[in-house]
Amino acid sequence: MTTLANQPQTALEEARAHNARTRRNQVISAVIRYAILAAVGFIMLYPLLWLVGASFKTNAEIFASPSFIPQNPTLEGYQRGWETSTNWNFGHFFLNTLWIIIPKTIGTAISATLVAYGFARFEFPFKRILFATVIATLLLPNVVTRIPQYLLFRDLGWLDTYLPLWVPSALAGDAFFVFMLIQFLRAIPRDMEEAARVDGANTIQTLVFIVIPMLAPAIISVCLFQFMWTMNDFLGPLIYISSVEKYPVSLALRLSLDVTEAFQWNQVLAMSVLTLAPSLLVFFVAQRYFIEGISTGGVKG
């Protein structure tokens, strides 16, 4: 009788012990998992942390230690790097970059939306051939078209201006963005557009008041991609811009390496940090729309 009476108590204790072991294993698994993720994340972020830390070091201290923490923090790199070795400070080169980025980003958003809307919603002669051509240009390496583009822009008298850097993109020359918006448009049902047409809206009104609001996450992703790629573009300005006065920041960074006999790395790294700042700021501000646009286009496309 005593043995039978103790059986429920024994089973309860075994169940409690089993639950305790399960919780302990879950905690240990979570600790190991987060420790590995933190270690991998630190390794991935270390170059960026080193860049930021080294920008506050003296030129002699930068390569003396692999640590990203400066022993004697100084703003010398930022102060002297901002002044540059030319007649213009770094703010002038930032302004030049904006003269390229603003028309290029706006033009890309408008032209890519119009072209994608046409391919996604309308039937017209040679549509398949034209769409295949767009995809073919998407697969074509940019370096292949550099020489023909250079000769064309030279004949147009556009060399040493910003026009070659943003006019092709403003005419839907970036096939990747057209393809991306087409995939997003194919995931949007046509019911609201057809209802707008029944109410008397024309094509432009339907696009502006019905399609673009639903397409906003994808358009913001396009603008964000174009902003970051243009901000980091080095080869395009190197080919078409020859006047130092018109240099964007990507060329201005290289300029500081060319004109000095002994490289002032702390100045170069300090200006590199400032160059990265706009892209990081824009990304974090528009991060929600960026992820929504990419995930929706990728999953439903």
Side-chain angles (χ1 to χ4, degrees):
M1 292 296 292
T2 304
T3 304
L4 293 175
N6 290 337
Q7 284 182 350
Q9 183 65 26
T10 304
L12 182 60
E13 292 177 354
E14 291 179 352
R16 287 175 177 172
H18 176 73
N19 291 336
R21 285 196 301 271
T22 302
R23 286 196 296 272
R24 185 171 60 252
N25 291 336
Q26 289 176 345
V27 171
I28 293 173
S29 175
V31 170
I32 294 174
R33 185 166 60 250
Y34 283 109
I36 294 174
L37 289 174
V40 174
F42 179 77
I43 292 173
M44 295 178 66
L45 285 176
Y46 184 80
L48 182 61
L49 296 175
W50 186 89
L51 173 67
V52 176
S55 67
F56 292 98
K57 293 180 179 180
T58 61
N59 208 40
E61 185 188 349
I62 288 178
F63 299 107
S65 169
S67 173
F68 61 86
I69 300 175
Q71 295 180 354
N72 299 304
T74 176
L75 293 175
E76 177 189 359
Y78 287 91
Q79 293 169 345
R80 294 189 176 181
W82 184 264
E83 295 302 325
T84 74
S85 58
T86 66
N87 296 327
W88 303 274
N89 60 30
F90 219 77
H92 176 83
F93 299 122
F94 267 111
L95 190 60
N96 290 344
T97 307
L98 290 180
W99 294 133
I100 302 172
I101 288 179
I102 292 175
K104 188 173 185 177
T105 303
I106 296 175
T108 300
I110 296 174
S111 62
T113 301
L114 290 173
V115 174
Y117 185 60
F119 275 118
R121 289 295 190 260
F122 300 100
E123 295 295 332
F124 49 87
F126 309 112
K127 176 182 174 180
R128 291 182 180 275
I129 297 175
L130 292 174
F131 185 70
T133 305
V134 172
I135 300 302
T137 58
L138 178 66
L139 302 175
L140 195 65
N142 287 333
V143 67
V144 175
T145 61
R146 288 294 183 186
I147 293 178
Q149 284 181 341
Y150 181 86
L151 297 177
L152 173 64
F153 296 141
R154 184 197 61 184
D155 295 340
L156 291 173
W158 287 4
L159 296 184
D160 202 24
T161 70
Y162 298 141
L163 294 176
L165 301 176
W166 66 265
V167 169
S169 298
L171 298 176
D174 294 321
F176 170 76
F177 297 133
V178 175
F179 179 75
M180 177 179 164
L181 291 177
I182 289 174
Q183 301 309 308
F184 198 95
L185 276 167
R186 286 176 175 172
I188 298 176
R190 303 188 183 200
D191 298 348
M192 295 185 66
E193 297 173 52
E194 293 172 354
R197 292 291 183 89
V198 171
D199 290 339
N202 57 33
T203 302
I204 298 299
Q205 289 172 328
T206 304
L207 173 64
V208 173
F209 297 108
I210 304 298
V211 176
I212 288 182
M214 293 188 290
L215 202 60
I219 295 176
I220 292 174
S221 298
V222 168
C223 294
L224 190 56
F225 269 127
Q226 190 65 279
F227 181 92
M228 291 190 296
W229 290 352
T230 306
M231 194 78 189
N232 298 327
D233 185 22
F234 176 78
L235 187 58
L238 180 66
I239 294 174
Y240 298 116
I241 305 298
S242 56
S243 300
V244 177
E245 181 184 0
K246 298 178 181 178
Y247 276 9
V249 290
S250 56
L251 290 186
L253 286 173
R254 181 180 178 275
L255 187 69
S256 61
L257 293 176
D258 286 342
V259 298
T260 55
E261 295 180 357
F263 295 162
Q264 298 298 320
W265 288 106
N266 58 344
Q267 298 178 24
V268 177
L269 296 177
M271 293 305 101
S272 299
V273 172
L274 294 183
T275 304
L276 285 174
S279 297
L280 292 176
L281 180 63
V282 169
F283 174 78
F284 285 117
V285 169
Q287 183 181 16
R288 182 169 65 88
Y289 299 101
F290 176 72
I291 294 174
E292 184 179 352
I294 293 297
S295 60
T296 304
V299 173
K300 297 181 180 179

